[in-house]
């Protein structure tokens, strides 16, 4: 039997079991990336205590700030003051434990480094930080004469940041090999950067990655 002619303009029947498939909606445009948030500002407040007042009276303009942040007290001092402050705090205020010496790199700032000393008093159950700002190449006075533990702590700051301490008895690397080139905690030292020459000569491989 001959196929019947479909009238013009007629549509094919929908597939069995459902309606005709609808076209997919167009993809939504990608949302623009949100701009990065500015860094949080440390909302420090003045540190008001007998000790803070004594420090300001004793050191005058060598101390620019005595503040507190989340219960942590700190002193911002000129670069010639940290060792004198450490000695004062140890002898006259019982801060006899040098917890740490560390640094922060701000490569775009004229005073490139913050050097931070952390001391603790067992008698007072209190912690104080001394912070100073120094430019590239400035040599801070060593604190080894006040705290023997400053020896290794200053060596670590030298090893990681390249900051030197005048009068240190044995200023050399303590974590990296002595011949290593560069200072790994500077912000211009890439996270995957390494001294390829040292790796090849001492480990016999092309890369330590």
């Amino acid at each position: 039997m001959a196929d019947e002619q479909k009238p013009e303009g007629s549509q094919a029947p929908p597939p069995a079991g459902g309606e005709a498939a609808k076209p997919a909606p167009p993809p939504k445009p990608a949302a623009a990336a949100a701009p990065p948030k500015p860094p949080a500002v440390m909302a420090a407040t003045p540190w008001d205590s007998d000790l803070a007042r004594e420090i300001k009276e004793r050191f005058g303009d060598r101390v620019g700030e005595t503040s507190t942040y989340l219960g942590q007290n700190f002193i911002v001092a000129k670069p010639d003051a940290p060792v004198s402050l450490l000695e004062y705090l140890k002898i006259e205020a019982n801060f006899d434990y040098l917890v740490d010496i560390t640094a922060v790199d701000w490569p775009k700032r004229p005073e490139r480094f913050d050097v931070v000393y952390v001391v603790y008093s067992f008698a007072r159950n209190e912690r104080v930080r001394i912070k100073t700002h120094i430019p590239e190449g400035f040599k801070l006075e060593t604190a080894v004469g006040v705290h023997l533990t400053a020896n290794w702590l200053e060596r670590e700051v030298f090893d990681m940041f390249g900051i030197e301490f005048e009068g240190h008895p044995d200023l050399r690397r303590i974590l990296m090999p002595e011949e290593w080139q560069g200072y790994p905690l500077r912000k211009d030292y890439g996270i995957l950067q390494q001294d390829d020459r040292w790796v090849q000569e001492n480990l016999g491989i092309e890369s330590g990655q």
Side-chain angles (χ1 to χ4, degrees):
M1 182 176 180
D3 293 338
E4 296 182 0
Q5 296 288 333
K6 294 181 180 179
E8 293 185 5
S10 65
Q11 297 180 350
E19 298 179 355
K22 296 181 179 179
K28 294 181 179 180
K37 294 182 179 180
V41 177
M42 187 174 73
T45 57
W47 172 25
D48 185 20
S49 70
D50 290 341
L51 179 58
R53 287 188 288 272
E54 290 170 11
I55 289 170
K56 282 196 166 184
E57 183 177 349
R58 173 72 66 94
F59 291 91
D61 62 2
R62 298 172 72 194
V63 168
E65 181 183 349
T66 53
S67 299
T68 188
Y69 177 67
L70 297 179
Q72 299 295 315
N73 302 322
F74 65 92
I75 304 160
V76 179
K78 291 187 176 179
D80 65 342
V83 172
S84 298
L85 275 163
L86 290 171
E87 186 172 24
Y88 169 80
L89 288 169
K90 178 181 179 180
I91 296 173
E92 302 193 34
N94 292 317
F95 286 86
D96 50 359
Y97 173 34
L98 178 61
V99 179
D100 199 8
I101 304 174
T102 188
V104 183
D105 183 16
W106 302 93
K108 296 182 180 180
R109 196 179 69 183
E111 295 172 322
R112 176 170 181 169
F113 299 104
D114 290 346
V115 179
V116 184
Y117 303 78
V118 185
V119 291
Y120 178 76
S121 168
F122 289 96
R124 305 164 69 115
N125 188 25
E126 187 176 348
R127 191 183 307 260
V128 171
R129 290 168 173 81
I130 301 167
K131 180 164 62 175
T132 191
H133 313 302
I134 61 169
E136 176 87 48
F138 186 91
K139 295 183 180 181
L140 287 163
E141 180 185 358
T142 182
V144 172
V146 180
H147 292 281
L148 290 176
T149 49
N151 189 319
W152 281 19
L153 296 173
E154 290 176 353
R155 284 179 59 188
E156 183 174 344
V157 173
F158 166 69
D159 196 357
M160 295 289 103
F161 294 92
I163 298 170
E164 297 186 42
F165 294 86
E166 190 72 46
H168 190 285
D170 186 26
L171 192 63
R172 56 190 172 90
R173 290 191 184 272
I174 191 171
L175 299 174
M176 305 302 292
E178 186 66 27
E179 305 84 8
W180 192 268
Q181 298 298 311
Y183 303 103
L185 288 187
R186 290 193 180 204
K187 289 184 179 177
D188 54 8
Y189 191 100
I191 191 171
L192 297 179
Q193 185 175 336
Q194 64 178 2
D195 185 348
D196 292 324
R197 180 197 57 79
W198 189 94
V199 169
Q200 293 167 11
E201 291 181 359
N202 293 274
L203 302 181
I205 57 178
E206 288 300 316
S207 174
Q209 301 297 338

